[in-house]
């Protein structure tokens, strides 16, 4: 009987002891995990803030079915509404009216005293902002029962009042419904009138009420502006020294509303509005508002109470793009007038409709790149700035030989 032989076993490697991660390794992993969680949290916060903004900011259907720009270009109409009432038609609080130096809530009506068409080219070129003087005498469009011409600022208020009158005859009594539907009719009429006057599509719009200038400047902790000369005006409350300065909310409203004491009155006020817009975009970029959650929330809260936009506008994409609209990347143009006249006792600006359309086409149309500047004639009244002139820093020397004021990145205006 043969002896049983065991199969020789292969030598086994000695058992290894599992090492516990070092303190540095554990710390690194914790930091990485925390960073990942923070990124997710920030993404969720940004998503929440954006959707909170979109869901609560006033949105309008006034541009529904309207023609759109081509080649990736975007035209945005900025409308500043001269109303002392909130979005529901309620008077602003008395303490707010006192700060605004704007008088009674019954003053102002629903005139669009600020009209600026912002053109953002699809090829990444310099944006252009065209200011439309509020007293330009133009053909009205979209105003029920009205044919002929009126001041361009009046299209909104005329259409609103007429539509509310029609609703009232149909038995509608709810004040908020009348206000909401009346304003929608007003927005559509203003958009139609400006579109017909300029001869270009309008892709989006933003409507800002009178208190919006106050709240925007406050949310930004001041807006930088530059004045060539000191000014003092009891009507608007403007009382500023010459030079670059930062305006708070109350001062900002006085700045954009002043026309008394200025050589060209309303036309100079238009330049103030341009300067405020340039200063606000400059401050947004310099202050890092888009990367600071606290500042961003303040800005969003401002938009909720003061701004109405067209429904479906991707505001997040525009906010990202807006960062590139500062630092001289926007050219401001005031549309020319031919002279001044009166209509039923009211002062009006006489304009050449075809000249305006040609100017706009040459500035932002397909041939704009080959045309460095559009021609135009100065208004017939003496002392008016040349059409197409942008508010820009003063020359290096004034007529008296004294050094001009340095705007430090923002335009200097009268």
């Amino acid at each position: 009987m043969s002896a049983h032989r065991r199969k020789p076993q292969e030598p086994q490697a000695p058992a290894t002891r599992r090492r516990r991660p070092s303190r540095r390794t554990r710390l690194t992993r914790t930091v990485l995990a925390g960073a990942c969680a923070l990124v997710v949290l920030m993404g969720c916060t940004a998503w929440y803030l954006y959707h909170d903004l979109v869901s609560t900011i006033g949105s309008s259907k006034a541009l529904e079915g309207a023609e759109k720009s081509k080649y990736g270009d975007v035209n945005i109409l900025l409308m500043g509404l001269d109303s002392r009432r909130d979005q529901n038609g309620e008077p602003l609080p008395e303490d707010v009216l006192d700060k605004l130096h704007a008088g009674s809530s019954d003053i102002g009506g629903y005139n669009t005293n600020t009209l600026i068409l912002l053109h953002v080219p699809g090829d990444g070129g310099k944006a252009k902002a065209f200011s439309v003087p509020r007293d330009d005498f133009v053909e009205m469009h979209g105003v029920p029962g009205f044919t002929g011409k009126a001041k361009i600022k009046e299209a909104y208020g005329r259409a609103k009042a007429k539509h509310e009158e029609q609703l009232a005859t149909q038995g509608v009594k709810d004040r908020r419904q009348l206000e909401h539907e009346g304003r929608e009719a007003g927005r559509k009429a203003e958009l139609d009138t400006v579109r017909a006057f300029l001869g270009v599509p309008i892709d989006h719009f933003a409507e800002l009420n009178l208190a919006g200038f106050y709240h925007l400047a406050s949310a930004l902790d001041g807006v930088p502006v530059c004045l060539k000369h000191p000014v003092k005006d009891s009507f608007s409350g403007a009382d500023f020294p010459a030079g670059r300065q930062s305006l708070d909310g109350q001062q900002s409203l006085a700045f954009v509303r002043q026309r008394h004491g200025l050589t060209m009155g309303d036309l100079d006020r238009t330049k103030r509005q341009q300067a405020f817009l340039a200063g606000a975009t400059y401050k947004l970029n310099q202050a890092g508002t888009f990367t600071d959650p606290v500042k961003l929330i303040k800005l969003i809260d401002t938009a909720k109470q003061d701004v109405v936009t067209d429904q479906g506008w991707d505001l997040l994409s525009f906010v990202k793009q807006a960062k590139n609209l500062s630092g001289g990347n926007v050219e401001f143009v005031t549309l020319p007038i031919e002279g001044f006249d009166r209509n039923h006792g009211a002062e009006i600006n006489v304009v050449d409709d075809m000249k305006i359309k040609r100017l706009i086409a040459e500035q932002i149309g397909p041939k704009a790149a080959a045309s460095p500047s559009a021609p135009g004639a100065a208004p017939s009244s003496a002392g008016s700035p040349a059409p197409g002139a942008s508010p820009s820093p003063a020359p290096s020397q004034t007529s008296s030989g004294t050094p001009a004021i340095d705007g430090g990145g923002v335009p200097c205006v009268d």
Side-chain angles (χ1 to χ4, degrees):
M1 187 173 178
S2 60
H4 177 71
R5 295 182 179 179
R6 294 181 178 180
K7 185 177 180 180
Q9 296 181 352
E10 296 181 1
Q12 296 181 351
T16 58
R17 296 178 61 185
R18 296 181 61 186
R19 294 183 179 179
R20 295 182 62 187
S22 67
R23 184 176 180 181
R24 178 178 294 179
T25 302
R26 292 198 305 273
L27 181 60
T28 302
R29 290 177 180 174
T30 301
V31 171
L32 288 174
C36 290
L38 183 60
V39 169
V40 172
L41 179 60
M42 289 176 66
C44 291
T45 301
W47 181 90
Y48 170 78
L49 288 174
Y50 171 62
H51 283 273
D52 181 50
L53 170 63
V54 172
S55 63
T56 56
I57 194 172
S59 59
S60 166
K61 296 182 179 180
L63 277 176
E64 223 173 44
E67 179 189 359
K68 299 296 183 182
S69 297
K70 300 178 180 179
Y71 314 113
D73 292 355
V74 178
N75 291 330
I76 303 165
L77 184 64
L78 307 177
M79 300 193 299
L81 198 62
D82 189 30
S83 174
R84 278 73 165 167
R85 296 177 179 271
D86 63 19
Q87 294 182 18
N88 294 317
E90 301 294 338
L92 295 173
E94 288 297 328
D95 60 325
V96 174
L97 288 173
D98 289 342
K99 290 178 181 177
L100 300 183
H101 209 275
S104 166
S105 61
D106 295 325
I107 299 174
Y110 288 86
N111 290 330
T112 50
N113 278 355
T114 302
L115 289 169
I116 300 177
L117 183 77
L118 178 63
H119 173 76
V120 184
D123 61 4
K126 177 178 286 191
K128 293 187 178 182
F130 299 90
S131 288
V132 184
R134 65 175 188 163
D135 290 338
D136 284 3
F137 199 59
V138 304
E139 292 286 344
M140 293 285 103
H141 292 266
V143 180
F146 183 87
T147 57
K149 291 186 175 184
K151 294 181 180 182
I152 196 167
K153 68 178 181 181
E154 295 177 356
Y156 192 117
R158 285 176 178 270
K160 177 182 182 295
K162 190 64 178 180
H163 189 69
E164 288 180 9
E165 181 184 318
Q166 292 173 344
L167 290 174
T169 60
Q170 297 169 14
V172 177
K173 297 181 180 179
D174 184 83
R175 288 194 303 111
R176 290 203 172 189
Q177 181 183 349
L178 290 170
E179 183 73 16
H180 174 75
E181 294 191 29
R183 286 199 181 194
E184 279 289 86
R187 291 171 189 129
K188 189 175 187 311
E190 193 67 51
L191 290 162
D192 288 348
T193 298
V194 174
R195 184 189 298 112
F197 179 52
L198 302 183
V200 294
I202 297 176
D203 303 285
H204 302 292
F205 80 90
E207 173 190 307
L208 186 71
N209 65 21
L210 192 63
F213 291 100
Y214 172 85
H215 291 135
L216 176 60
S218 299
L220 292 176
D221 294 322
V223 171
V225 300
C226 177
L227 284 170
K228 297 178 184 177
H229 313 285
V231 296
K232 188 168 185 177
D233 171 37
S234 61
F235 293 95
S236 65
D239 186 1
F240 310 119
R244 180 179 167 130
Q245 54 208 285
S246 181
L247 305 184
D248 62 21
Q250 186 172 347
Q251 293 170 327
S252 293
L253 187 64
F255 177 79
V256 298
R257 291 183 64 240
Q258 184 187 3
R259 61 189 175 95
H260 296 282
L262 300 178
T263 304
M264 293 304 297
D266 264 348
L267 297 183
D268 281 339
R269 177 159 71 171
T270 297
K271 290 189 175 183
R272 295 289 189 88
Q273 296 164 357
Q274 296 170 350
F276 177 86
L277 183 60
T281 53
Y282 177 86
K283 183 64 177 287
L284 283 168
N285 197 40
Q286 295 296 312
T289 303
F290 299 109
T291 57
D292 186 324
V294 175
K295 293 179 180 177
L296 185 59
I297 289 172
K298 286 176 67 177
L299 193 63
I300 288 173
D301 284 339
T302 298
K304 287 180 184 178
Q305 60 185 322
D306 297 316
V307 180
V308 175
T309 67
D310 56 289
Q311 196 172 67
W313 186 6
D314 187 353
L315 290 173
L316 184 60
S317 296
F318 180 70
V319 163
K320 292 178 180 178
Q321 189 177 35
K323 292 187 292 185
N324 301 319
L325 298 181
S326 61
N329 289 328
V330 180
E331 178 184 350
F332 289 91
V333 178
T334 300
L335 296 181
I337 67 172
E338 301 302 304
F340 304 100
D341 204 343
R342 300 187 74 86
N343 180 64
H344 297 296
E347 294 181 355
I348 61 171
N349 298 334
V350 179
V351 292
D352 184 330
D353 297 47
M354 294 310 298
K355 179 186 286 187
I356 295 295
K357 289 180 175 61
R358 286 196 302 269
L359 185 150
I360 295 290
E362 290 169 356
Q363 291 272 0
I364 67 176
K367 297 180 181 180
S371 178
S373 61
S380 58
S381 282
S384 175
S390 304
S392 56
S396 58
Q397 297 288 323
T398 63
S399 58
S400 62
T402 57
I405 296 167
D406 180 12
V410 296
C412 288
V413 295
D414 290 324

